[in-house]
Amino acid sequence: MDYIKHKVPPVREDRLMACQAYGGTCGDLSNDSKKGCLYASKRTFSQTQGCQLNLSLGMISSMRDAVMVIHSPIGCGGNLIQNAGINKVFQKLRQQSAVGLRWINTNLSEVDVISGGEAKLRQAVLKAEREFRPSAILVFNSCVPALIGDDIDGILDDLQKQVSARIVPIHCEGFKTKIQATAYDSVYHGLIRNLVGEDKSTKPAIIRTPEEELEHQEKISKTVNLLNVGSMSRIDEEELVRLLKALDLNVRILPSYSHPEDFTYAHEAALNVSICATHDDYFVEHFQKLYGIPYVLRTIPIGIANTNKWLRDIAAHFGIEEQAEKLIAAETAELNKAIEPFKAEFKGKTAFLTGGEVRILTTAELLHNLGFEILGLRGYHFDKYGEILLEEYMEDVPNSEKAIFNIGSGQVFEQANLLSKITPDLFVGHIGVNGSAAKQGYPIFPLFGQSDDYLGYKGVYEVATRVSRILRNASFNKNLGKNTRLPYRDSWYEQDPFTYIDDSASIAARIG
Amino acid sequence: MSKVIERPRYVCALGGAIGTIQSLPRAIPILHSSSGCGGNLAGALSGASGYNGGNYCGGQALPSSNVSERDIVFGGEGRLHEQIENTLKVMDGDLYFVVTGCMVEMIGDNVHAVTKRFKDGKLPVLAAETVSFKGNSYYGYELVLETLFREFVEPAPVKDPGTVNLWGVVPMQDVFWKGNLGVLKGLLKKLGFETNTFFGQGETLENLKNSGKASLNIVVSEAYGIEAAKVFEEVHDVPYITLPLPVGDHGTSRFLRTVGKALGVDEIKIEKLIQEERKAYYPYLERLADVYNDLDFQRYATVVGDPNYTQAITRFLSDDLGWLPELIVITDILGEEQKERVLASFGEYESGLRPEIVFDEDASSVVGYINRHWPQNQGQKYYKGFAPGVIIGSVMERDTAEQFKVPLLPVTYPISNRVVLNRAYAGYSGGLTLAEDVLSLVVAHR
Ligand code: SF4
């Protein structure tokens, strides 16, 4: 993979042949995916979702000491408004002096659409520098400037000479892709091109004595970049850092909630440790290509099996397998004892999960381990990384090939229809779709949360306690189920849930 | 040239339109836009509006044609047609309303040509070109109203002197819109009128359809909904008045007098109603007599937000509560004419107060205005600043309030640190609620 020389990264439809519309079973999906013809499917009725600008902001708006410039008409990036007053709390968990979200919208008007938005972009960047003196200015490009052909990179190159903040262009216009995860590539593309490495023109290179250099290299040889995700809580991070420290590793956490300077020396590391291929494949592959840094990308440490796999992959790289096995043995013994009572409690209960492919497959495995039967999954999209995980999942979880697998971000009408047919005891969902399931009366466990722990061994126990609590009283949602109505016709529930996925007739027939 | 804006408190016309349509009973917005626009706007519409939620059809349930690069090359009209057809099959509504994002405008799709094909069907399908770069949320509100008034409201040659319509309270942008509309409707009922508010609790599409028979349109805003009122007058021959959103005794009494006069209500009847309302209002404030004075509850105040609320709160604080709301920051994008009308809604205070009023869209500017109005301490021993002070604004004023060590009551959009259900600040009862909320802040640390 080598796209870094280009100004703009490719979209995931092209790069990974990612699929965004499918309905069938886990077994079907696994087979069909291997044939490689899923990505062209589409919907003839669709509901809204997010765009890559949206998700780019979700990923990196938390960066400390940075200002975001959203080059767009006034509405793009509107999701930030709901975080304006609360993000600071989460930033402060990483740095006491954090200031919270700051952004500028270029407010493109009709006049700008005709005569070009370049002057506004200049104004916004200069304003960000003048008012806030941030370390970085992240510039997000939306649909309109892309269509009118603003020379974003040219202007920003020129502006970089005038401002001391590092400018990072992020090309993430929404209409380019239906796979929102393309956002991760866009953000990493901008960060790698503009933040990684010292700027030798402004700072003299660090001079070290031979002994200091040796010590420095020794430190690098034990340093890992832990790539976090925007949905991770501080407690999640702390759990993973605890495990990595137990293996005597130094940890640098990137990219969410990081400081721009954290990237400057990001290439001084022995290993990139991802917790999600959907999130990080673009970054780790480029880091390997550019700086020769290997990576771990297989799975997210959710549930015992996947946390073990994750730790073993890391240990294998450093040749400390024995140390890892000891850690795993001690942790799992302690944990298994702690979760024993929950297994009895959850035995025979059923669950349905929806969200990103990596997260739902591993969370499903966790719930299976706690005693749940998994009736179905809904992934935002599906690609080769999902294919590998799904295969491992089907190996680990008996009879899982018959469970439903639906692909689509948003598309809650399909979800509502599915739920009316398979009626699980527990619904596990990504934000944005939980309200819909709540109105159908299901107890809901959120798939992730900024204030709770999900990852590592501690995460398993925490998930168990919270699921147990939620199942104890679902009255709120039950009341909603009885007294509210989703905006679909009764006739919709009688139809096949995948009616509006093109070319899905044969698959639909199997579900009924 | 329009300005770049630091932390805007509104979204685009598309966002305003979606918020407006989804607040109508059983109405289904259909987005003809890039797949991401709806999701992008969802947080602004529900999360930032006191957790308003998506109503019947909002958030990710919004039907959307989800045009992407291919449609943009070949045109999106075919996709829109398919989407409308299937929306009618899947989504259960009584009114369908196509709204557009900037992309489809730029590629030149003719949405009206497409929706026309559904004209003779059983279900109404309307459309408005809510192009984002032409205006913000408020403009979207205005466009939706105009379209409804032109195409959905039925002609009614005979007017009913007992019915009026009321709007100008923008759903979602006014976080307390639903409660506020209910209170105003209740007051007009006491004057003897039936009121259609379109978006309030218990309203129906039938009321909206028949609203052409009203004898007066009341726009409770000096900034928003006025263009729509002109359209209503042109199409349905119903005159309109504009007047400020009322909070508390002084604001609401003025409101009743203005409306009553426009409707030809006998002055004695109006004054009688005002006296009755005051009889219910002041006994509550009376309870504060000791505490207000024993503990010296008077405060300086900075009020930040949209024109509807800033004027209403300023009058309430000044004339009902006896405070000193000396600095007002209005954060909306307004034309010169709008600014003049809005400015005129501040003033004639019983207290004789003359607040400083500034127009500035940037969120971080507020600090600077406070510092200028109440000059900062330069290290002097004897010094008088913004103390004792209170900020009434939005959640965006959190840092500012922290910096000046004063309490903040979020009343204007965005609000993400309060949950709002049926709370109302309008009218006499709303004044009491506001007094409760703001004075609770003052005693909270005791
Ligand atoms: S899809 Fe385009 S126009 Fe819509 S919110 Fe995203 S960037 Fe803005």
Coordinates of all heavy atoms in Angstrom, one line a residue, chain A residues 195-265:
Chain A
L195 N 2.0 15.6 10.2 CA 2.4 15.7 11.6 C 3.5 14.8 11.9 O 4.3 15.1 12.9 CB 1.2 15.4 12.5 CG 0.1 16.5 12.6 CD1 -0.9 16.1 13.7 CD2 0.7 17.8 12.9
V196 N 3.7 13.7 11.2 CA 4.7 12.8 11.6 C 6.1 13.2 11.2 O 6.3 13.7 10.1 CB 4.4 11.4 11.0 CG1 5.5 10.4 11.4 CG2 3.1 10.9 11.6
G197 N 7.1 13.2 12.1 CA 8.4 13.6 11.8 C 8.6 15.0 12.2 O 7.7 15.8 12.3
E198 N 9.9 15.3 12.6 CA 10.2 16.7 13.0 C 10.3 17.6 11.8 O 10.6 17.2 10.7 CB 11.6 16.7 13.6 CG 11.8 15.9 14.9 CD 13.3 15.7 15.1 OE1 13.9 16.7 15.5 OE2 13.8 14.6 14.9
D199 N 10.0 18.8 12.0 CA 10.1 19.8 11.0 C 11.5 20.4 11.2 O 11.7 21.3 12.0 CB 9.0 20.9 11.0 CG 9.2 21.9 9.9 OD1 10.1 21.8 9.1 OD2 8.3 22.8 9.8
K200 N 12.5 19.9 10.4 CA 13.9 20.3 10.6 C 14.1 21.8 10.3 O 15.1 22.4 10.7 CB 14.8 19.4 9.8 CG 14.7 17.9 10.1 CD 16.0 17.3 10.6 CE 15.8 15.9 11.2 NZ 15.0 14.9 10.4
S201 N 13.2 22.4 9.5 CA 13.4 23.7 9.1 C 13.2 24.7 10.3 O 13.7 25.8 10.3 CB 12.5 24.1 7.9 OG 11.1 24.0 8.4
T202 N 12.3 24.2 11.2 CA 12.0 25.1 12.4 C 12.8 24.7 13.6 O 13.0 25.5 14.5 CB 10.5 25.2 12.7 OG1 10.1 23.8 12.9 CG2 9.7 25.8 11.5
K203 N 13.0 23.4 13.8 CA 13.7 22.9 15.0 C 15.0 22.2 14.6 O 15.0 21.4 13.7 CB 12.8 21.9 15.7 CG 11.7 22.5 16.6 CD 11.1 21.4 17.4 CE 9.6 21.7 17.7 NZ 8.7 20.6 17.6
P204 N 16.1 22.6 15.4 CA 17.3 21.8 15.1 C 17.2 20.4 15.5 O 16.4 20.1 16.5 CB 18.3 22.6 16.0 CG 17.5 23.3 17.0 CD 16.2 23.5 16.5
A205 N 17.8 19.5 14.8 CA 17.7 18.1 15.2 C 18.3 17.8 16.6 O 19.2 18.5 17.0 CB 18.4 17.2 14.2
I206 N 17.8 16.9 17.3 CA 18.3 16.6 18.6 C 19.6 15.9 18.5 O 19.8 15.0 17.8 CB 17.3 15.7 19.4 CG1 16.0 16.4 19.6 CG2 17.9 15.3 20.8 CD1 14.8 15.5 20.0
I207 N 20.6 16.4 19.3 CA 22.0 15.8 19.3 C 22.1 15.0 20.5 O 21.9 15.4 21.6 CB 23.1 16.9 19.2 CG1 22.8 17.7 17.9 CG2 24.5 16.2 19.1 CD1 23.6 19.0 17.9
R208 N 22.5 13.7 20.3 CA 22.7 12.8 21.5 C 24.1 12.3 21.5 O 24.7 12.0 20.5 CB 21.8 11.6 21.4 CG 20.3 12.0 21.5 CD 19.4 10.8 21.7 NE 18.0 11.2 21.6 CZ 17.3 11.2 20.5 NH1 17.8 10.9 19.4 NH2 16.0 11.6 20.6
T209 N 24.7 12.0 22.7 CA 25.9 11.4 22.8 C 25.7 9.9 22.5 O 24.6 9.4 22.5 CB 26.5 11.4 24.3 OG1 25.6 10.7 25.1 CG2 26.6 12.8 24.8
P210 N 26.8 9.1 22.1 CA 26.6 7.7 21.8 C 25.9 7.0 22.9 O 25.0 6.1 22.6 CB 28.0 7.2 21.6 CG 28.8 8.4 21.3 CD 28.2 9.6 22.0
E211 N 26.2 7.3 24.1 CA 25.5 6.5 25.2 C 24.0 6.9 25.2 O 23.1 6.0 25.4 CB 26.0 6.9 26.6 CG 27.5 6.5 26.8 CD 28.4 7.5 26.3 OE1 28.3 8.7 26.7 OE2 29.2 7.2 25.3
E212 N 23.7 8.2 25.1 CA 22.3 8.6 25.1 C 21.6 8.0 23.9 O 20.4 7.6 24.0 CB 22.3 10.1 24.9 CG 22.5 10.9 26.3 CD 22.7 12.4 26.1 OE1 22.8 12.8 24.9 OE2 22.6 13.1 27.1
E213 N 22.3 7.9 22.8 CA 21.6 7.3 21.6 C 21.3 5.9 21.8 O 20.2 5.4 21.4 CB 22.6 7.5 20.4 CG 22.0 7.0 19.0 CD 20.7 7.8 18.6 OE1 20.6 9.0 19.0 OE2 19.8 7.1 18.0
L214 N 22.2 5.2 22.5 CA 22.0 3.8 22.8 C 20.8 3.6 23.7 O 19.9 2.7 23.4 CB 23.2 3.2 23.5 CG 23.5 1.7 23.3 CD1 23.8 1.4 21.9 CD2 24.6 1.2 24.3
E215 N 20.7 4.4 24.7 CA 19.6 4.4 25.6 C 18.3 4.7 24.9 O 17.2 4.0 25.1 CB 19.8 5.4 26.7 CG 19.1 5.2 28.0 CD 19.4 6.3 29.0 OE1 20.6 6.5 29.3 OE2 18.5 7.0 29.3
H216 N 18.4 5.7 24.0 CA 17.2 6.1 23.2 C 16.7 4.9 22.3 O 15.5 4.6 22.3 CB 17.6 7.3 22.3 CG 16.5 7.9 21.5 ND1 15.4 8.4 22.1 CD2 16.3 8.0 20.2 CE1 14.6 8.8 21.1 NE2 15.1 8.6 19.9
Q217 N 17.6 4.3 21.6 CA 17.3 3.1 20.8 C 16.7 2.0 21.6 O 15.7 1.3 21.2 CB 18.5 2.6 20.0 CG 19.0 3.6 18.9 CD 17.9 4.0 17.9 OE1 16.9 3.3 17.7 NE2 17.9 5.3 17.4
E218 N 17.3 1.8 22.8 CA 16.8 0.7 23.7 C 15.3 1.0 24.0 O 14.4 0.1 24.0 CB 17.7 0.7 24.9 CG 17.2 -0.1 26.1 CD 17.2 -1.6 25.8 OE1 18.0 -2.0 24.8 OE2 16.5 -2.3 26.5
K219 N 15.0 2.3 24.3 CA 13.7 2.7 24.7 C 12.7 2.5 23.5 O 11.6 1.9 23.7 CB 13.7 4.2 25.1 CG 12.4 4.6 25.8 CD 12.5 6.0 26.4 CE 11.1 6.4 26.7 NZ 10.8 7.8 26.4
I220 N 13.2 2.9 22.3 CA 12.3 2.7 21.1 C 12.0 1.2 20.9 O 10.9 0.9 20.6 CB 13.0 3.3 19.9 CG1 13.1 4.8 20.0 CG2 12.3 2.9 18.6 CD1 13.9 5.5 18.8
S221 N 13.0 0.4 21.2 CA 12.8 -1.0 20.9 C 11.7 -1.7 21.8 O 11.3 -2.8 21.6 CB 14.1 -1.8 21.1 OG 14.4 -1.9 22.4
K222 N 11.3 -0.9 22.8 CA 10.3 -1.4 23.7 C 9.0 -0.6 23.7 O 8.2 -0.6 24.6 CB 10.8 -1.5 25.1 CG 12.0 -2.5 25.3 CD 11.8 -3.3 26.6 CE 11.8 -4.7 26.3 NZ 11.2 -5.6 27.3
T223 N 9.0 0.4 22.7 CA 7.9 1.3 22.6 C 6.8 0.8 21.6 O 7.2 0.5 20.5 CB 8.3 2.7 22.3 OG1 9.2 3.2 23.3 CG2 7.2 3.7 22.1
V224 N 5.6 0.8 22.0 CA 4.5 0.5 21.0 C 3.6 1.7 20.9 O 3.4 2.4 21.9 CB 3.7 -0.7 21.4 CG1 4.6 -2.0 21.5 CG2 3.0 -0.5 22.8
N225 N 3.1 1.9 19.7 CA 2.0 2.9 19.5 C 0.7 2.1 19.7 O 0.4 1.2 19.0 CB 2.0 3.4 18.1 CG 3.2 4.4 17.8 OD1 3.6 5.1 18.7 ND2 3.7 4.3 16.6
L226 N -0.1 2.5 20.7 CA -1.4 1.9 20.9 C -2.4 2.8 20.2 O -2.6 3.9 20.6 CB -1.7 1.8 22.4 CG -3.1 1.3 22.7 CD1 -3.4 -0.1 22.2 CD2 -3.3 1.3 24.2
L227 N -3.0 2.3 19.1 CA -3.9 3.1 18.3 C -5.3 3.0 18.9 O -6.0 1.9 18.8 CB -3.9 2.6 16.9 CG -2.5 2.7 16.3 CD1 -2.4 2.1 14.9 CD2 -2.0 4.2 16.2
N228 N -5.7 4.0 19.6 CA -7.1 4.0 20.2 C -8.1 4.4 19.2 O -7.8 4.8 18.1 CB -7.1 4.9 21.5 CG -6.9 6.4 21.1 OD1 -6.6 6.7 20.0 ND2 -7.1 7.2 22.1
V229 N -9.4 4.4 19.6 CA -10.4 4.8 18.7 C -11.3 5.8 19.5 O -11.3 5.8 20.7 CB -11.3 3.6 18.2 CG1 -10.5 2.7 17.3 CG2 -11.9 2.8 19.4
G230 N -12.0 6.6 18.7 CA -12.8 7.7 19.3 C -13.9 7.2 20.3 O -14.2 7.9 21.3
S231 N -14.3 6.0 20.1 CA -15.4 5.4 21.0 C -14.8 4.8 22.3 O -15.6 4.4 23.1 CB -16.2 4.4 20.2 OG -15.3 3.4 19.8
M232 N -13.5 4.8 22.4 CA -12.9 4.2 23.6 C -12.9 5.2 24.7 O -12.7 6.4 24.6 CB -11.4 3.9 23.3 CG -11.1 2.4 23.2 SD -9.5 2.2 22.4 CE -8.4 2.1 23.8
S233 N -13.1 4.6 25.9 CA -13.1 5.5 27.1 C -11.7 5.5 27.7 O -10.8 4.7 27.3 CB -14.1 4.9 28.2 OG -13.5 3.7 28.7
R234 N -11.5 6.4 28.6 CA -10.2 6.5 29.3 C -9.9 5.2 30.1 O -8.8 4.7 30.2 CB -10.2 7.7 30.2 CG -8.9 7.9 30.9 CD -7.7 8.2 30.0 NE -6.4 8.1 30.7 CZ -5.3 7.7 30.1 NH1 -5.3 7.4 28.8 NH2 -4.2 7.7 30.8
I235 N -11.0 4.7 30.6 CA -10.8 3.4 31.4 C -10.4 2.3 30.5 O -9.6 1.4 30.9 CB -12.2 3.0 32.1 CG1 -12.9 4.2 32.6 CG2 -11.9 2.1 33.3 CD1 -14.3 3.9 33.1
D236 N -10.9 2.2 29.3 CA -10.5 1.2 28.3 C -9.0 1.4 28.0 O -8.3 0.4 28.0 CB -11.2 1.5 26.9 CG -12.6 0.9 26.9 OD1 -12.9 -0.1 27.6 OD2 -13.5 1.5 26.1
E237 N -8.6 2.6 27.8 CA -7.2 2.8 27.5 C -6.3 2.4 28.7 O -5.3 1.7 28.5 CB -6.9 4.3 27.3 CG -7.4 4.9 26.0 CD -7.3 6.4 25.8 OE1 -6.7 7.0 26.7 OE2 -7.8 6.9 24.8
E238 N -6.8 2.7 29.9 CA -6.0 2.3 31.1 C -5.9 0.8 31.2 O -4.8 0.3 31.6 CB -6.6 2.9 32.3 CG -6.2 4.4 32.5 CD -7.1 5.2 33.5 OE1 -8.1 4.6 34.0 OE2 -6.8 6.4 33.7
E239 N -6.9 0.1 30.9 CA -6.8 -1.4 30.9 C -5.8 -1.9 30.0 O -5.0 -2.8 30.3 CB -8.2 -2.0 30.7 CG -8.3 -3.5 30.4 CD -7.9 -4.4 31.6 OE1 -7.5 -3.8 32.7 OE2 -8.0 -5.6 31.5
L240 N -5.8 -1.4 28.7 CA -4.9 -1.9 27.7 C -3.4 -1.5 28.1 O -2.5 -2.3 27.9 CB -5.2 -1.4 26.3 CG -6.6 -1.9 25.8 CD1 -6.7 -1.5 24.4 CD2 -6.8 -3.4 26.0
V241 N -3.3 -0.3 28.6 CA -1.9 0.1 29.1 C -1.4 -0.8 30.2 O -0.3 -1.2 30.2 CB -1.9 1.6 29.5 CG1 -0.6 2.0 30.2 CG2 -2.2 2.5 28.3
R242 N -2.3 -1.1 31.1 CA -2.0 -2.0 32.2 C -1.4 -3.3 31.7 O -0.4 -3.8 32.1 CB -3.2 -2.3 33.1 CG -3.0 -3.3 34.2 CD -4.4 -3.5 35.0 NE -5.3 -4.4 34.3 CZ -5.3 -5.8 34.5 NH1 -4.4 -6.3 35.2 NH2 -6.2 -6.5 33.8
L243 N -2.1 -3.9 30.7 CA -1.7 -5.2 30.1 C -0.3 -5.1 29.4 O 0.5 -5.9 29.5 CB -2.8 -5.8 29.2 CG -4.1 -6.1 29.9 CD1 -5.1 -6.5 28.9 CD2 -3.9 -7.2 30.9
L244 N -0.2 -4.0 28.6 CA 1.1 -3.8 27.9 C 2.2 -3.5 28.8 O 3.4 -4.0 28.6 CB 0.9 -2.7 26.9 CG -0.1 -3.0 25.7 CD1 -0.4 -1.8 24.9 CD2 0.4 -4.2 24.9
K245 N 2.0 -2.8 29.9 CA 3.0 -2.5 30.9 C 3.4 -3.8 31.6 O 4.6 -4.0 31.9 CB 2.5 -1.5 31.9 CG 2.5 -0.1 31.3 CD 3.1 0.9 32.2 CE 3.4 2.2 31.5 NZ 2.6 3.3 32.1
A246 N 2.4 -4.7 31.8 CA 2.8 -6.0 32.4 C 3.7 -6.8 31.5 O 4.4 -7.7 32.0 CB 1.5 -6.8 32.6
L247 N 3.8 -6.4 30.2 CA 4.8 -7.1 29.3 C 6.0 -6.2 29.2 O 6.8 -6.4 28.2 CB 4.1 -7.3 28.0 CG 2.9 -8.3 27.9 CD1 2.4 -8.4 26.5 CD2 3.3 -9.7 28.4
D248 N 6.2 -5.3 30.1 CA 7.4 -4.4 30.1 C 7.5 -3.5 28.8 O 8.6 -3.2 28.4 CB 8.7 -5.1 30.3 CG 8.7 -5.9 31.6 OD1 8.2 -5.3 32.6 OD2 9.1 -7.0 31.6
L249 N 6.4 -3.1 28.3 CA 6.4 -2.2 27.1 C 6.1 -0.8 27.5 O 5.3 -0.5 28.4 CB 5.4 -2.7 26.1 CG 5.7 -4.1 25.6 CD1 4.6 -4.7 24.7 CD2 7.0 -4.2 24.8
N250 N 6.7 0.2 26.7 CA 6.3 1.6 26.8 C 5.1 1.8 25.9 O 5.2 1.3 24.7 CB 7.4 2.5 26.4 CG 8.7 2.2 27.2 OD1 8.7 1.9 28.4 ND2 9.8 2.1 26.4
V251 N 4.2 2.6 26.3 CA 3.0 2.8 25.4 C 2.8 4.3 25.1 O 2.8 5.2 25.9 CB 1.7 2.3 26.1 CG1 0.6 2.4 25.2 CG2 1.9 0.9 26.7
R252 N 2.6 4.5 23.8 CA 2.2 5.9 23.3 C 0.8 5.7 22.7 O 0.6 4.9 21.9 CB 3.2 6.3 22.2 CG 2.9 7.7 21.7 CD 3.7 8.0 20.4 NE 5.1 8.2 20.6 CZ 6.1 7.5 20.1 NH1 5.8 6.4 19.3 NH2 7.4 7.7 20.3
I253 N -0.1 6.5 23.2 CA -1.5 6.4 22.7 C -1.8 7.4 21.6 O -1.7 8.6 21.8 CB -2.5 6.5 23.8 CG1 -2.2 5.5 24.9 CG2 -3.9 6.3 23.3 CD1 -3.1 5.5 26.1
L254 N -2.3 6.9 20.5 CA -2.6 7.8 19.3 C -3.9 7.2 18.8 O -4.2 6.0 19.0 CB -1.6 7.7 18.2 CG -0.1 8.1 18.5 CD1 0.8 7.7 17.4 CD2 -0.1 9.6 18.7
P255 N -4.7 7.8 17.9 CA -4.7 9.2 17.6 C -5.7 10.0 18.3 O -5.6 11.2 18.5 CB -5.0 9.2 16.1 CG -6.0 8.1 16.0 CD -5.5 7.1 17.0
S256 N -6.8 9.4 18.8 CA -7.9 10.1 19.5 C -7.4 10.7 20.8 O -6.6 10.1 21.5 CB -9.1 9.3 19.7 OG -9.6 8.8 18.5
Y257 N -7.8 11.9 21.1 CA -7.4 12.6 22.4 C -5.9 12.8 22.5 O -5.4 13.0 23.6 CB -7.9 11.8 23.6 CG -9.4 11.8 23.7 CD1 -10.1 10.7 23.2 CD2 -10.1 12.9 24.1 CE1 -11.5 10.7 23.3 CE2 -11.5 13.0 24.2 CZ -12.2 11.8 23.8 OH -13.6 11.9 23.8
S258 N -5.2 12.7 21.4 CA -3.7 12.9 21.4 C -3.4 14.4 21.3 O -4.3 15.2 21.0 CB -3.0 12.1 20.3 OG -3.5 12.6 19.1
H259 N -2.2 14.7 21.4 CA -1.7 16.1 21.2 C -0.9 16.0 19.8 O -0.3 15.0 19.6 CB -0.8 16.5 22.3 CG -0.4 18.0 22.3 ND1 0.6 18.5 21.4 CD2 -0.9 19.1 22.9 CE1 0.6 19.8 21.6 NE2 -0.3 20.2 22.5
P260 N -1.0 17.1 19.0 CA -0.3 17.0 17.7 C 1.1 16.6 17.9 O 1.6 15.9 17.0 CB -0.4 18.5 17.2 CG -1.6 19.0 17.9 CD -1.8 18.3 19.2
E261 N 1.8 17.0 19.0 CA 3.2 16.6 19.1 C 3.4 15.2 19.3 O 4.5 14.6 19.1 CB 3.8 17.4 20.3 CG 4.1 18.9 19.8 CD 4.5 19.8 21.0 OE1 4.6 19.3 22.1 OE2 4.6 21.0 20.8
D262 N 2.3 14.5 19.8 CA 2.5 13.0 20.0 C 2.8 12.3 18.7 O 3.4 11.2 18.7 CB 1.2 12.4 20.5 CG 0.9 12.9 21.9 OD1 1.8 13.4 22.6 OD2 -0.3 12.8 22.3
F263 N 2.5 13.0 17.5 CA 2.8 12.3 16.2 C 4.2 12.6 15.8 O 4.7 11.8 14.9 CB 1.8 12.9 15.2 CG 0.4 12.3 15.4 CD1 -0.5 12.9 16.1 CD2 0.1 11.1 14.8 CE1 -1.8 12.4 16.3 CE2 -1.1 10.5 14.9 CZ -2.1 11.2 15.7
T264 N 4.8 13.6 16.3 CA 6.1 14.0 15.7 C 7.1 12.8 15.8 O 7.8 12.6 14.8 CB 6.7 15.2 16.5 OG1 5.6 16.1 16.7 CG2 7.8 15.8 15.8
Y265 N 7.1 12.1 16.9 CA 8.0 11.0 17.0 C 7.3 9.6 17.0 O 7.9 8.6 17.4 CB 8.8 11.1 18.3 CG 9.6 12.4 18.4 CD1 9.1 13.5 19.2 CD2 10.7 12.6 17.6 CE1 9.8 14.7 19.2 CE2 11.4 13.9 17.6 CZ 10.9 14.9 18.4 OH 11.6 16.1 18.4

